[in-house]
Amino acid sequence: MTSSLAGFMRHAQRGLWAGARCALLAGVLTVGALSLTTSTAIAQSANPFAAAATVNGTVVTNFQVQQRVLFLTLLRSPGVSQEAITDALTDEALQLQAARSAGVTLSPEDLEAGIAEFATRTNLEPDALIAALGQEGVAAETLRDFVRNGALWRSLVQQRFGPRAQISEAEVDRALALASERGSARILLSEIALPLTPELSEENEALANRLSDTINSPAAFAAAAQRYSAASTAPRGGRLDWVPLGNLPPQVVGQVLTLAPGEISAPINLGPFIALFLLRDLEELSATPPETLAVEYAEVLIPGGRTEAALSAAQDLRDSVDTCEDLYGQDLSGLSPVTRQSVLQSELSQELALELAKLDTHEVSTMLSTDTDLRFIMLCGRSSEIAEGARDQIRGQLRQQRLVSYADGFLDELRADAVIARPQG
């Protein structure tokens, strides 16, 4: 499966060890809220009881395809098509057959728990979610199948590959070494940053989960960054320049070091905002002796929080200064005085460490804010120190990546051994 929808399905089914991140915005589920032209056309043109595919004798019906198209359209999943859905359900049939052959089962209680977990992403109770989906024409069994099929596959993968997915101390050490030696590696990322202001917190957390579940290509990530990201990189599709790996906070390093080029991180909550990262490249350089890393920065608080007026004032200030020293010569009437400090990298908050990591000397970030003020932050300079990471977090991320690799390889084997038939025409 190469479509973005197929990637969504694979990603959604990996959630036992990473946490299922399928998101459904509560506001989406209103009658007529979305155009369902695609699924309606499919329903009119196909006999719902006919086979869309036959997988080792198991029939995937047109009705199942129609229902999944409708369901994922309501999820606002990009790239929904009859062909992609048929591919996804064909793979699910193979996964279910393998799970049953291995004796993997799911109790009614576990199924209800899975549905309840899914419902939490919509700010609805399970019964209310089922009712809302029903108003849009999605049968309750479609939701149950989606949750059940994913849970059975995840259980099978854990049972079959869990013991083989252990991460050695040496592998953790290598990941930590990459993270801690500022001169030894640099990383090329793209970002989507969504503010977690009181007004937008729930909406943007749900949006971050949905983007994580549905984006599976650099082009789609760039389009989403341009549409949704509040970072200054949004106009260029979220693309950052090379960043020394040691400049990033450990929480971000623990996520991005486990990615392959082109893969996307889970949402990372950094306090004032939630972020997704796309790994574009990682380059190991000759190692240099680690030194103490301290970051010097200047800050001005602009009243109004993350409002248009405050952002406009920040842009005016940015346009009028070239260096940290220039800030002292500005008319800051109505703004806070300039504060300037040098802080060890290990003592920086996660969100501030990330913003400073993206800046060159005398560049500015206005991504961070409080309830009352926009934070105008200018990087004045850097020196070096080892960055400390979390061993357990990196071990978990490496194990997740290994399990995903095993699962994808196993599914490829199932496809190769299967007898799969599609109707002609």
Side-chain angles (χ1 to χ4, degrees), residues 22-61:
C22 303
L24 184 63
L25 298 177
V28 169
L29 294 178
T30 55
V31 177
L34 295 175
S35 170
L36 303 178
T37 305
T38 301
S39 58
T40 301
I42 294 172
Q44 292 174 344
S45 62
N47 177 355
F49 303 105
T54 303
V55 186
N56 294 328
T58 298
V59 174
V60 176
T61 67

Side-chain angles (χ1 to χ4, degrees), residues 327-340:
L327 288 169
Y328 296 99
Q330 298 302 307
D331 179 6
L332 301 180
S333 302
L335 312 182
S336 76
V338 178
T339 59
R340 184 167 175 172

Side-chain angles (χ1 to χ4, degrees), residues 132 189 300 332 370 404 409:
L189 298 170
V300 176
L332 301 180
T370 67
V404 167

Side-chain angles (χ1 to χ4, degrees), residues 20 22-24 29 71 106-133 139-152 154:
C22 303
L24 184 63
L29 294 178
F71 179 54
L106 185 69
S107 70
E109 293 77 15
D110 287 341
L111 175 57
E112 293 306 316
I115 293 172
E117 193 280 334
F118 187 98
T120 62
R121 307 295 184 178
T122 74
N123 298 320
L124 294 174
E125 294 297 323
D127 289 345
L129 171 61
I130 291 171
L133 287 169
E141 196 60 31
T142 297
L143 172 62
R144 292 183 181 277
D145 286 348
F146 182 80
V147 173
R148 181 200 64 205
N149 296 354
L152 287 171
R154 292 191 297 269

Side-chain angles (χ1 to χ4, degrees), residues 56-394:
N56 294 328
T58 298
V59 174
V60 176
T61 67
N62 286 323
F63 178 74
Q64 291 173 299
V65 174
Q66 294 159 14
Q67 282 282 294
R68 189 64 68 84
V69 167
L70 181 56
F71 179 54
L72 292 182
T73 300
L74 287 169
L75 284 174
R76 293 182 178 175
S77 176
V80 176
S81 69
Q82 185 176 17
E83 182 67 22
I85 291 291
T86 303
D87 285 343
L89 290 175
T90 296
D91 281 349
E92 283 186 38
L94 291 169
Q95 292 164 350
L96 284 175
Q97 290 167 7
R100 290 183 181 126
S101 295
V104 176
T105 60
L106 185 69
S107 70
E109 293 77 15
D110 287 341
L111 175 57
E112 293 306 316
I115 293 172
E117 193 280 334
F118 187 98
T120 62
R121 307 295 184 178
T122 74
N123 298 320
L124 294 174
E125 294 297 323
D127 289 345
L129 171 61
I130 291 171
L133 287 169
Q135 290 177 359
E136 296 290 350
V138 177
E141 196 60 31
T142 297
L143 172 62
R144 292 183 181 277
D145 286 348
F146 182 80
V147 173
R148 181 200 64 205
N149 296 354
L152 287 171
W153 175 244
R154 292 191 297 269
S155 295
L156 173 62
V157 170
Q158 286 280 16
Q159 174 182 297
R160 187 181 180 96
F161 300 112
R164 295 165 54 187
Q166 302 307 309
I167 303 300
S168 69
E169 292 300 319
E171 290 171 302
V172 177
D173 288 341
R174 180 178 180 276
L176 285 170
L178 282 174
S180 64
E181 294 183 8
R182 180 171 177 256
S184 67
R186 60 178 187 167
I187 196 165
L188 201 57
L189 298 170
S190 294
E191 64 175 348
I192 296 174
L194 307 173
L196 293 180
T197 58
E199 304 81 14
L200 296 174
S201 179
E202 289 188 6
E203 178 181 341
N204 279 344
E205 284 184 356
L207 175 59
N209 282 312
R210 177 165 59 85
L211 294 176
S212 177
D213 288 331
T214 56
I215 296 173
N216 84 325
S217 72
F221 190 96
Q226 291 173 338
R227 180 176 180 183
Y228 298 113
S229 181
S232 60
T233 55
R236 56 181 184 270
R239 293 171 67 90
L240 291 164
D241 293 330
W242 286 103
V243 176
L245 198 59
N247 286 1
L248 294 173
Q251 186 178 1
V252 174
V253 172
Q255 287 266 8
V256 300
L257 276 185
T258 64
L259 302 175
E263 290 187 338
I264 299 163
S265 73
I268 304 175
N269 190 318
L270 292 165
F273 62 95
I274 191 167
L276 301 171
F277 295 96
L278 167 73
L279 176 63
R280 295 178 4 237
D281 200 2
L282 176 67
E283 183 178 34
E284 296 188 45
L285 308 172
S286 58
T288 58
E291 303 170 5
T292 299
L293 177 67
V295 180
E296 184 180 5
Y297 67 96
E299 181 171 359
V300 176
L301 300 180
I302 301 175
R306 195 168 189 81
T307 60
E308 288 298 326
L311 289 168
S312 177
Q315 186 62 52
D316 290 341
L317 182 58
R318 181 182 300 183
D319 291 342
S320 62
V321 297
D322 294 320
T323 69
C324 291
E325 286 71 23
D326 293 342
L327 288 169
Y328 296 99
Q330 298 302 307
D331 179 6
L332 301 180
S333 302
L335 312 182
S336 76
V338 178
T339 59
R340 184 167 175 172
Q341 55 187 320
S342 181
V343 182
L344 293 178
Q345 176 82 4
S346 58
E347 296 177 356
L348 291 170
S349 64
Q350 298 271 5
E351 66 274 11
L352 182 56
L354 177 60
E355 285 307 296
L356 292 172
K358 297 185 290 187
L359 301 179
D360 290 329
T361 301
H362 302 312
E363 287 188 334
V364 171
S365 167
T366 56
M367 187 63 207
L368 305 182
S369 63
T370 67
D371 291 344
T372 58
D373 298 301
L374 183 69
R375 300 177 65 183
F376 180 99
I377 298 168
M378 175 177 277
L379 176 66
C380 305
R382 287 193 181 95
S383 56
S384 287
E385 183 217 9
I386 297 177
E388 295 183 2
R391 294 185 68 87
D392 289 343
Q393 182 182 39
I394 290 180

Side-chain angles (χ1 to χ4, degrees), residues 381-414:
R382 287 193 181 95
S383 56
S384 287
E385 183 217 9
I386 297 177
E388 295 183 2
R391 294 185 68 87
D392 289 343
Q393 182 182 39
I394 290 180
R395 188 192 311 278
Q397 293 292 331
L398 292 172
R399 185 172 187 273
Q400 175 190 337
Q401 184 184 41
R402 188 161 295 175
L403 279 170
V404 167
S405 177
Y406 283 141
D408 287 347
F410 184 35
L411 183 56
D412 287 340
E413 292 177 10
L414 294 175

